[in-house]
Amino acid sequence: MRFLDLFILLILIPVAWAQAWSQGLPSLSRGSSLAVAKENDFLASPKGTFSGGFYEVGTNAYCFAIWFTNSVNKTVVWMANRDRPVNGRESRLTLHGNGNLVLTDEDESVVWSTDTLTSAGVEARLLETGNLVLVNQTKGIIWESFEFPTDTLLPSQPFTKNPTLVSIRSRGTYLSGVYNMKFDDNNVLNLIFNGPLLSSVYWPSTKVTVFESGRTPYNSTRKAILNDFGHFESSDNFVFKAADYGVGPKRRLTLDYDGILRLYSLDDSTGLWKISWIPVDLYNCHVHGLCGENGICVYSPQSTCICPDGFNRNDPSDWSKGCSPSFNLTCDPTKLDFMLLNKTDFYGNDLVTYATRISFEECRNRCLSDCTCKGFGYSTDGQGSCYPKRILRNGFRVTSKPQNMHIKIHRGTVISSLELRKVGTNDLNCSNETLVLGGNDAEGGKTSKNSYIKYLIAFVSAFAVIEIICIGLAWCYGVVLLELLSGKTAPGFQSATPYDECNSLVQWATKQHMTPEGLRKVIDSRLKNESYEEKIDRMIEVALLCVAEDRHSRPPMSKVVELLTAYDESNLDEKRND
Ligand SMILES: *[C@@H]1O[C@H](CO)[C@@H](O)[C@H](O)[C@H]1NC(C)=O
Ligand SMILES: *[C@@H]1O[C@H](CO)[C@@H](O)[C@H](O)[C@H]1NC(C)=O
Ligand SMILES: *[C@@H]1O[C@H](CO)[C@@H](O)[C@H](O)[C@H]1NC(C)=O
Ligand SMILES: *[C@@H]1O[C@H](CO)[C@@H](O)[C@H](O)[C@H]1NC(C)=O
Ligand SMILES: *[C@@H]1O[C@H](CO)[C@@H](O)[C@H](O)[C@H]1NC(C)=O
Ligand SMILES: *[C@@H]1O[C@H](CO)[C@@H](O)[C@H](O)[C@H]1NC(C)=O
Ligand SMILES: *[C@@H]1O[C@H](CO)[C@@H](O)[C@H](O)[C@H]1NC(C)=O
């Protein structure tokens, strides 16, 4: 019996000790620091609701963050350095003796700091509200993270005239995105699409006046706050209540990557979030800029983007770059046709003020005869409303109003688009939620087997980009990739002109590649390796597409990178499942 007791004690003591350690630190004192590589180096709020420490955002990429300890996937509510992640080794957060809290990267460069200075003793604490504070000897707060929100507001966190909430870029990508929330110059709380080229307010709706939206511009206090009951109140009269109103559930108000502001409540038993409020006038694809030019938003039950038939997605990782037609639009009405998009609208960008009580034919002719018209909306309720559009932006499926969209296409366009389909259909379905952080892997996986091929791909992609810039659209676009793979240099193929040198390498590779045996000859023997063969085959196919004789059947760079990297990712997944 005694031995058993002793045995249990020997087991239990280290377990309890380890548990105590994994609970996190209550505070960070002057001169001490948190190291990225130490698993137990994180701050915890008094009851453990929140943790603050290094959060992995990609392979070997970390941000200093605050997250909900007990939610599935540790939901982040704040980040210090969202756009400048630090290395997974040697990076640290240090509270200097002078009161400055500083985040340094592996090379000791300062990535972020609070820029605070105090002569009195200082200490960093994570409060039970989720607020990270620096306090002096007399417990006076000299800095707090609540004043610098990222994409989330927590209960009791005031939102004032200074900060702007900025969404994350996509699910799992913590970089700053394109949606903002802030008080505008009229003291009204706005949601804004803030893209690289365009920006527009989409909430409250600009179709009605501020007063019709229930807001007022007259209170210049500019302050909004969510309280512990789940009641939100803003100085512009905007108020709402959580569906589960009352003290209890832990909540957060987040401006999501799709531009929608959502209040979430945590289910403590499962660690999952449920939506406890959403602006009713927003959920149905009314967020601007979501799908880019020519893209159409479909809500089911999340916003998803699609391209109309005959249009191709411009950037596989970013829907806001929109879709491009696979045909050329001319001004010649005899060469134009219209494609019907049922129950669709493109908000804004009307060519002229819209007209009513005109026939479908008349509306169609107005658009046809105007070279700048890209399509028109026409009501199907017999009212004869006609909306010719200059640009097809902010597209969405309409459920509320009877309208169809007719967009201009080149007459005789065969709606099968995408010449690249022959390369492999799945490749065009690259995840829209992949983290792109200097080539890091979103999953945070520690797979190193494929690092060689990853570097090769990165190298080749980088080369191809440089090539485009340097050589433009000349014939040798794509040839560098072939050179890298075949180990033969283009000039090594003796010819009279540089044009022919490229040409002969391309022709040689095309011919060889016709058969699997040929492929092996094309591949440089140094690269010959069972596990890379398919990838190299893929690269050769891409390279050949890039040197296609018809400039327009060559894929755009975004697609080249997509084809190369998407394949690599699908392969990684297979490896993981093994
Ligand atoms: C948690 O993360 C995993 C892996 O990224 C994902 O598959 C899962 O859906 C996430 N769960 C929630 C609730 O977000
Ligand atoms: C501590 O900070 C508070 C708030 O900033 C300030 O009022 C107080 O004077 C400070 N105390 C000392 C000892 O510096
Ligand atoms: C302005 O808004 C603040 C904060 O919501 C509120 O306390 C104040 O009473 C408002 N002022 C007026 C004149 O409505
Ligand atoms: C991204 O893809 C997932 C499925 O892979 C889909 O559920 C989601 O709606 C898509 N989001 C956008 C913005 O296209
Ligand atoms: C588009 O126009 C260019 C000339 O501007 C032409 O070379 C190309 O073949 C056209 N593409 C299609 C798909 O018609
Ligand atoms: C569009 O709606 C019309 C009737 O309004 C229907 O005849 C047609 O099949 C629909 N087209 C598509 C592509 O759904
Ligand atoms: C992309 O994936 C979806 C569902 O996973 C599928 O329905 C669609 O056909 C795919 N698109 C392509 C071009 O392969």
Side-chain angles (χ1 to χ4, degrees):
M1 264 312 194
R2 282 230 175 113
F3 276 113
L4 192 61
D5 285 351
L6 191 65
F7 182 70
I8 287 170
L9 267 182
L10 281 176
I11 296 275
L12 281 184
I13 289 172
V15 166
W17 188 75
Q19 266 185 353
W21 266 102
S22 68
Q23 314 251 300
L25 311 164
S27 68
L28 192 64
S29 56
R30 256 173 94 151
S32 57
S33 62
L34 301 175
V36 66
K38 292 198 189 143
E39 211 174 305
N40 293 320
D41 263 12
F42 65 93
L43 292 169
S45 65
K47 289 181 188 162
T49 302
F50 292 94
S51 303
F54 287 93
Y55 192 93
E56 190 168 16
V57 294
T59 308
N60 202 33
Y62 290 79
C63 290
F64 186 78
I66 297 171
W67 61 86
F68 275 96
T69 313
N70 294 321
S71 72
V72 171
N73 292 353
K74 303 198 269 182
T75 312
V76 170
V77 297
W78 181 80
M79 268 189 183
N81 56 320
R82 62 197 306 200
D83 292 315
R84 280 185 72 187
V86 293
N87 199 292
R89 294 178 50 216
E90 305 294 328
S91 299
R92 51 180 62 239
L93 182 82
T94 309
L95 181 58
H96 288 296
N98 62 7
N100 200 6
L101 187 65
V102 179
L103 177 64
T104 47
D105 207 339
E106 188 188 19
D107 60 1
E108 302 203 343
S109 59
V110 174
V111 168
W112 173 88
S113 72
T114 55
D115 289 334
T116 42
L117 202 63
T118 177
S119 50
V122 67
E123 190 180 65
R125 282 188 174 272
L126 182 57
L127 305 183
E128 193 51 26
T129 52
N131 193 6
L132 177 70
V133 296
L134 291 184
V135 291
N136 62 15
Q137 257 165 356
T138 53
K139 301 288 175 228
I141 291 178
I142 55 174
W143 181 90
E144 54 184 326
S145 64
F146 266 17
E147 272 191 45
F148 307 89
T150 48
D151 66 340
T152 296
L153 292 176
L154 292 169
S156 83
Q157 178 174 7
F159 186 68
T160 56
K161 73 184 179 64
N162 295 322
T164 300
L165 284 196
V166 180
S167 66
I168 56 171
R169 192 157 304 168
S170 63
R171 201 181 301 166
T173 308
Y174 294 93
L175 300 168
S176 297
V178 292
Y179 295 103
N180 295 352
M181 179 170 100
K182 63 175 183 187
F183 281 101
D184 70 5
D185 293 344
N186 272 332
N187 308 316
V188 173
L189 198 58
N190 274 327
L191 294 182
I192 302 155
F193 163 63
N194 185 19
L197 298 174
L198 307 158
S199 71
S200 58
V201 172
Y202 59 91
W203 184 83
S205 170
T206 47
K207 288 185 202 167
V208 296
T209 66
V210 166
F211 300 100
E212 282 173 306
S213 321
R215 310 288 189 93
T216 172
Y218 298 138
N219 190 333
S220 52
T221 311
R222 295 193 197 173
K223 187 176 171 189
I225 196 161
L226 175 72
N227 71 14
D228 289 331
F229 291 84
H231 181 260
F232 183 89
E233 186 170 3
S234 162
S235 54
D236 68 354
N237 268 356
F238 174 66
V239 290
F240 72 78
K241 261 187 195 177
D244 53 5
Y245 181 77
V247 183
K250 300 183 175 83
R251 299 188 178 92
R252 66 185 165 97
L253 184 66
T254 302
L255 180 58
D256 282 319
Y257 67 95
D258 60 359
I260 297 181
L261 185 68
R262 292 182 180 88
L263 180 70
Y264 291 91
S265 301
L266 185 65
D267 183 335
D268 268 325
S269 59
T270 59
L272 295 175
W273 294 97
K274 61 181 199 313
I275 297 169
S276 43
W277 176 81
I278 186 170
V280 280
D281 46 347
L282 253 201
Y283 71 92
N284 214 352
C285 283
H286 287 296
V287 176
H288 289 182
L290 207 54
C291 303
E293 201 162 328
N294 301 316
I296 301 167
C297 174
V298 179
Y299 197 90
S300 61
Q302 279 196 338
S303 306
T304 312
C305 299
I306 55 169
C307 290
D309 283 345
F311 288 71
N312 302 332
R313 188 174 173 180
N314 285 331
D315 183 340
S317 64
D318 186 357
W319 265 112
S320 68
K321 302 255 165 70
C323 315
S324 293
S326 58
F327 47 84
N328 293 330
L329 263 192
T330 65
C331 278
D332 181 356
T334 63
K335 294 210 176 110
L336 292 171
D337 220 334
F338 286 93
M339 174 165 67
L340 167 69
L341 301 175
N342 273 358
K343 294 230 141 252
T344 304
D345 194 7
F346 288 88
Y347 176 77
N349 300 294
D350 288 18
L351 204 55
V352 285
T353 333
Y354 82 96
T356 52
R357 291 181 211 293
I358 65 171
S359 70
F360 177 77
E361 283 307 313
E362 169 65 11
C363 185
R364 187 177 187 277
N365 284 339
R366 280 188 190 184
C367 187
L368 201 57
S369 60
D370 186 338
C371 194
T372 60
C373 178
K374 295 285 187 301
F376 64 94
Y378 192 77
S379 64
T380 52
D381 58 357
Q383 294 292 311
S385 305
C386 172
Y387 309 84
K389 300 282 176 187
R390 194 161 36 89
I391 310 167
L392 304 177
R393 277 202 196 110
N394 307 319
F396 62 101
R397 278 283 150 78
V398 278
T399 44
S400 54
K401 92 182 167 176
Q403 162 167 320
N404 288 343
M405 196 69 207
H406 303 262
I407 63 172
K408 258 187 195 170
I409 55 170
H410 191 267
R411 177 164 287 180
T413 301
V414 182
I415 304 296
S416 66
S417 60
L418 310 177
E419 312 101 14
L420 284 172
R421 286 241 167 104
K422 63 182 179 213
V423 177
T425 39
N426 287 335
D427 292 346
L428 295 165
N429 256 351
C430 197
S431 164
N432 55 5
E433 286 152 8
T434 309
L435 170 68
V436 186
L437 260 182
N440 287 331
D441 177 8
E443 303 291 310
K446 299 222 155 92
T447 326
S448 61
K449 283 184 220 165
N450 293 57
S451 57
Y452 168 70
I453 203 82
K454 283 196 131 182
Y455 280 120
L456 184 63
I457 285 171
F459 180 61
V460 166
S461 308
F463 236 98
V465 170
I466 293 163
E467 206 189 348
I468 300 170
I469 295 163
C470 299
I471 313 180
L473 290 165
W475 177 245
C476 283
Y477 174 31
V479 169
V480 169
L481 184 52
L482 277 178
E483 281 179 8
L484 280 170
L485 293 169
S486 67
K488 295 178 169 61
T489 57
F493 280 68
Q494 299 300 322
S495 308
T497 64
Y499 181 96
D500 282 341
E501 280 161 17
C502 301
N503 202 357
S504 54
L505 176 63
V506 170
Q507 279 176 2
W508 173 77
T510 318
K511 218 160 63 194
Q512 295 290 336
H513 186 213
M514 292 305 159
T515 64
E517 273 67 42
L519 175 70
R520 291 195 174 79
K521 265 191 249 166
V522 179
I523 298 169
D524 187 332
S525 57
R526 277 163 293 179
L527 285 183
K528 235 175 252 173
N529 176 321
E530 287 296 334
S531 67
Y532 294 149
E533 206 159 274
E534 271 182 287
K535 292 167 212 255
I536 289 161
D537 189 359
R538 171 62 40 97
M539 286 191 219
I540 288 180
E541 283 191 284
V542 174
L544 290 176
L545 274 171
C546 296
V547 295
E549 206 144 353
D550 175 10
R551 184 154 76 77
H552 290 268
S553 66
R554 293 175 203 159
M557 199 56 225
S558 58
K559 223 158 250 168
V560 172
V561 174
E562 176 191 358
L563 286 168
L564 294 173
T565 54
Y567 183 77
D568 187 49
E569 269 162 26
S570 66
N571 227 40
L572 279 179
D573 287 340
E574 276 163 36
K575 289 255 156 66
R576 275 194 206 114
N577 294 341
D578 280 352

